[in-house]
Amino acid sequence: MTTRILTGITTTGTPHLGNYAGAIRPAIVASRQSDADSFYFLADYHALIKCDDPQRIQRSRLEIAATWLAFGLDTDRVTFYRQSDIPEITELTWLLTCVAGKGLLNRAHAYKAAVDKNGENGEDPDAGVTMGLFSYPVLMAADILMFNAHKVPVGRDQIQHVEMARDIAQRFNHLFGQGREFFTLPEAVIEESVATLPGLDGRKMSKSYDNTIPLFGSAKQLKDSIARIVTDSRAPGEPKDPDNSHLFTLYQAFSTPAQQAEFRQQLLEGLAWGEAKQRLFELLEGELGEARERYQHLIEKPSELEDILQAGAAKARRIATPFLQELREAVGLRSFRNELQSTAKAKKKAGKSARFVSFREQDGSFRFRFLAADGEQLLLSRPFTDPKAVGVATQRLATLGADALELRADEGNQFTLWLDGECIADSPDYDDVNARDAAMLRLHTAVATLAGA
Ligand code: TRP
């Protein structure tokens, strides 16, 4: 069973070393695990909530996309896309908005902080609060639920949003699922070891503190910002305290245990801060130098980036489009064209005939069951990646008819169904060969009734 991991980065700024160590690097590492099915995206709809400067949004999308790729994100393995290229996400946002409690959203930290600040300033509680800010957690829930993510790596400030996504998912499942869990309940994942990289002044590295180390400036810019790291005033030769030095913390975040032990020892022995900064520079340059070149190349060829992201969007929509279709149907947004058919179907069901029932698995694949008139399950298909292929296969079986069915009994007490040389479905495991053969006959009979339907 694969684990679906999903996370997004809001595209309002230029990524810095803290974003890399805290989010991008661990995400790329996680995506390489064999059981990981990763969805990483640029949260550019979220960016619009915080920023009304189009140029800045566009630049940031480009820079963040290039950063992921420069560090070796393998877009064949992961699904990498821009949120705004998936219109299903905004549509799902509306379906979720209609089940999300206003009271739930009133409790969101970002909204509450804005209200509190207005209170302090004697302003109207909602002054300057847009509906975008208020509904931010619903959009984020749509990001996560659209792809049924199991794990959502985020910073601490986002845990509440993931919990809200769970709440909203549960509510939707309960109201419209009819026993089926449309949405997986996501879990927030916090990477303890990397969550807080200190900035130049020792506070959390953050654009709002202006204490960041740029990722892809020139080597000289890297050196200059390292020179600005605040240290204590101990002179060269005096022992330094690594555990109270954020320069050492920064070094730790990018080095092996052996390198760390050596650096610690040298600091204890009185290494000058200037020397220590040079060491940190060399370490970071080693980690970033190559990626910087790839980054520059990508930034200079934005149309290549566009192609990669378009391909990512197409891949994401292969999941989003059919899933949203099911959700629309669940809430009652159905085609009138199928109206007659579905009443006919309902009648048929009442008259009990054999039928195919298709469904979607947790892992995103699609299957069908073939049920006899009395509801007995005769076949369970192998997984299909494309829901259309399920429709094509069941349609063909229905039209082929009973006599053209290719069934193979295996050594055990099961049989399989083959179509065009491919095994597409399995029977249940019967108690013995006689029971199996009887089931094969029942299958023939059931398929025969389809042809006449
Ligand atoms: N709100 C997140 C942040 O600012 C970014 C984000 C948007 C996100 N949608 C998401 C993160 C879905 C995880 C999952 O950090």
Side-chain angles (χ1 to χ4, degrees):
M1 171 79 191
T2 58
T3 302
R4 192 164 279 182
I5 309 171
L6 176 144
T7 195
I9 295 189
T10 307
T11 55
T12 44
T14 299
H16 55 69
L17 196 65
N19 303 133
Y20 169 58
I24 299 172
R25 184 175 61 172
I28 293 177
V29 171
S31 74
R32 293 184 178 137
Q33 284 179 359
S34 59
D35 68 340
D37 179 19
S38 307
F39 284 64
Y40 298 148
F41 67 98
L42 309 179
D44 49 2
Y45 279 143
H46 276 102
L48 299 181
I49 296 171
K50 300 184 190 163
C51 173
D52 57 10
D53 175 354
Q55 232 97 45
R56 170 137 176 233
I57 300 261
Q58 175 68 343
R59 182 74 200 165
S60 175
R61 294 157 94 225
L62 190 68
E63 288 176 346
I64 294 177
T67 301
W68 280 98
L69 297 171
F71 283 115
L73 182 74
D74 178 354
T75 52
D76 289 334
R77 265 192 78 81
V78 313
T79 307
F80 182 57
Y81 54 98
R82 284 177 297 218
Q83 186 187 29
S84 66
D85 285 333
I86 319 293
E88 288 81 1
I89 290 177
T90 31
E91 196 171 340
L92 177 57
T93 301
W94 185 251
L95 301 190
L96 299 179
T97 298
C98 295
V99 303
K102 176 166 181 291
L104 179 76
L105 296 173
N106 284 341
R107 291 193 287 278
H109 299 317
Y111 172 65
K112 261 185 24 193
V115 170
D116 290 350
K117 198 161 150 220
N118 283 332
E120 282 163 26
N121 299 336
E123 303 240 29
D124 180 89
D126 282 331
V129 175
T130 63
M131 283 307 292
L133 176 66
F134 186 69
S135 306
Y136 182 110
V138 190
L139 176 58
M140 186 157 154
D143 291 332
I144 298 170
L145 303 179
M146 183 89 260
F147 299 103
N148 277 316
H150 302 106
K151 305 239 176 241
V152 183
V154 283
R156 293 198 173 285
D157 58 325
Q158 300 291 320
I159 298 176
Q160 189 196 31
H161 295 150
V162 180
E163 282 167 0
M164 288 183 167
R166 286 176 73 92
D167 270 22
I168 296 171
Q170 263 167 329
R171 187 94 197 273
F172 190 98
N173 284 345
H174 176 71
L175 284 170
F176 301 111
Q178 296 190 307
R180 179 179 157 189
E181 304 283 302
F182 275 113
F183 296 127
T184 304
L185 303 186
E187 257 175 64
V189 188
I190 308 289
E191 278 253 15
E192 294 296 343
S193 57
V194 295
T196 44
L197 197 66
L200 301 176
D201 56 0
R203 290 184 292 174
K204 176 184 177 203
M205 189 179 290
S206 159
K207 204 170 39 183
S208 38
Y209 295 147
D210 190 26
N211 64 358
T212 62
I213 298 181
L215 261 182
F216 294 130
S218 61
K220 168 142 188 343
Q221 279 170 327
L222 180 60
K223 197 169 232 163
D224 291 348
S225 38
I226 291 173
R228 284 172 53 212
I229 293 177
V230 179
T231 58
D232 63 27
S233 57
R234 287 180 215 195
E238 260 187 84
K240 314 289 187 294
D241 177 4
D243 297 316
N244 280 307
S245 154
H246 52 275
L247 189 150
F248 185 69
T249 312
L250 282 166
Y251 190 92
Q252 268 180 317
F254 299 95
S255 51
T256 63
Q259 285 174 311
Q260 288 162 28
E262 191 191 347
F263 195 47
R264 167 185 289 279
Q265 190 55 36
Q266 289 171 331
L267 287 169
L268 290 170
E269 285 167 6
L271 186 74
W273 284 126
E275 261 301 305
K277 287 180 175 179
Q278 177 62 22
R279 296 286 164 81
L280 178 61
F281 169 72
E282 282 160 17
L283 180 76
L284 290 181
E285 184 58 21
E287 172 114 5
L288 304 179
E290 244 178 68
R292 183 191 294 131
E293 274 174 38
R294 280 197 293 268
Y295 177 85
Q296 289 306 350
H297 171 89
L298 288 160
I299 289 282
E300 281 156 24
K301 297 217 166 56
S303 66
E304 278 180 22
L305 276 173
E306 183 65 33
D307 290 344
I308 291 171
L309 288 164
Q310 290 294 344
K315 197 163 151 189
R317 294 189 73 193
R318 281 200 285 277
I319 295 172
T321 310
F323 188 35
L324 185 70
Q325 191 51 38
E326 291 181 77
L327 298 172
R328 288 176 57 103
E329 302 219 346
V331 301
L333 306 176
R334 302 169 191 157
S335 162
F336 289 156
R337 198 156 283 123
N338 296 333
E339 195 61 14
L340 279 177
Q341 274 176 25
S342 59
T343 33
K345 248 191 227 157
K347 270 192 206 139
K348 218 155 95 186
K349 238 182 219 163
K352 293 251 168 90
S353 52
R355 58 206 177 265
F356 292 103
V357 181
S358 54
F359 62 100
R360 182 169 183 274
E361 291 276 24
Q362 287 275 341
D363 67 4
S365 65
F366 297 85
R367 292 185 196 258
F368 65 83
R369 297 180 211 285
F370 182 59
L371 307 179
D374 63 1
E376 177 198 3
Q377 178 173 320
L378 294 167
L379 290 170
L380 171 65
S381 81
R382 300 272 164 106
F384 291 74
T385 44
D386 179 358
K388 276 197 215 114
V390 176
V392 171
T394 54
Q395 197 63 47
R396 282 209 47 212
L397 290 170
T399 43
L400 269 176
D403 292 335
L405 276 189
E406 192 184 342
L407 300 181
R408 295 191 197 166
D410 64 13
E411 277 103 31
N413 299 321
Q414 267 183 293
F415 62 89
T416 46
L417 170 68
W418 294 67
L419 192 64
D420 303 328
E422 226 193 305
C423 175
I424 65 160
D426 302 88
S427 76
D429 200 357
Y430 294 99
D431 287 339
D432 54 47
V433 177
N434 291 336
R436 179 197 67 198
D437 291 348
M440 284 167 92
L441 274 178
R442 288 200 297 282
L443 176 67
H444 266 108
T445 315
V447 172
T449 65
L450 291 175

